[in-house]
Structures are given as C-alpha cells and as structure tokens.
Amino acid sequence: MTSPRAAAPPAAPAAVPAAERGATVIPEKVVARIARRAAQEALAHYAATAPARSAPLARPRAEAAVTDGTARLGLTLELPYPADLARTCRAVQEHVSERVGELTGMRITEVTLVIEHLVLAGGPEHRRVR
C-alpha cells in the first residue's frame, strides 16, 4: 500500500515566454465601439457641467484603423452650442484617446473629429427670434 503523501504531484508545465504565447487581436469594429462609448462619456460629462442644458445629442459614430498595436480613430458627432468648440473638441479627443488606450492596451496615434451638427442650448424652442 502507498500512502497519500508518497504520490508526487504531476510536474508543472514549463513556462512559455510571453513573446511566444501569441497576441490578443482586437477587431477594428470593437475598437470603434469602445471609441463611440468613450465619446458618449465625454459628451455626457460636458453636458452635466455646461451652464445651459442642451437638447439631447445624437449618438456618435466611430471608425477605427488598427495596425500593429496602434489605432487611428475617427468620430462623427454633434456638439452643444453655444460652447467653446475648440476646448470641447480637445476634451473629447483626450478622453477618447485615454479611455480606448486603457481598455485595449493600444497606442492611439490620432483621434479625428467631424462635427456633423451644433445643437442649440435649450432645444428648438429657443431658435426663434422674438
């Protein structure tokens, strides 16, 4: 009879170096979805801190081009108006770049914005001249 202590545990497999294990590939479509969500976060933060409430903004659209661990992002979005558009655009670009980089581990080399519409604060009822 053999005692339970006498049985040796199986040998652990040899560790494979990280460079030889492979890589995680994140499709461009997924990176674009993450960028779209990050843009929504940035715009929601801006809307919460803006002095005048604006009408709801349409959901941003995003595209991504991924190459060797880097990504270039393109966003099409609406912005509230009146606002400091340059500062708002920079804030959106910085937030999207940081957030996508955090979540994907990629280096974001470019975030291009296309402003499709400016949405007036207060909505359509404030568009008329009295």
Side-chain angles (χ1 to χ4, degrees), residues 15-67:
V16 177
E20 295 176 21
R21 286 186 225 151
T24 301
V25 177
I26 303 173
E28 291 178 344
K29 185 176 179 178
V30 173
V31 175
R33 282 184 183 172
I34 294 169
R36 182 179 67 222
R37 180 64 182 183
Q40 286 176 299
E41 291 171 1
L43 292 171
H45 175 73
Y46 178 81
T49 60
R53 300 296 255 168
S54 64
L57 301 174
R59 192 167 82 174
R61 293 189 313 271
E63 295 178 351
V66 176
T67 308

Side-chain angles (χ1 to χ4, degrees), residues 9 13-14 17 25 30-31 34-35 57 61 64 70 73 92 96 101-102 114-115 120 123 126-127 129-130:
V25 177
V30 173
V31 175
I34 294 169
L57 301 174
R61 293 189 313 271
T70 64
L73 306 173
V92 169
V96 169
E102 285 174 9
V114 174
I115 309 307
L120 289 174
H126 288 100
R127 292 183 186 176
V129 177
R130 295 180 191 233

Side-chain angles (χ1 to χ4, degrees), residues 85-99:
L85 298 177
R87 187 181 70 191
T88 303
C89 288
R90 275 192 305 274
V92 169
Q93 287 173 313
E94 288 172 7
H95 181 79
V96 169
S97 180
E98 289 172 11
R99 194 76 171 121

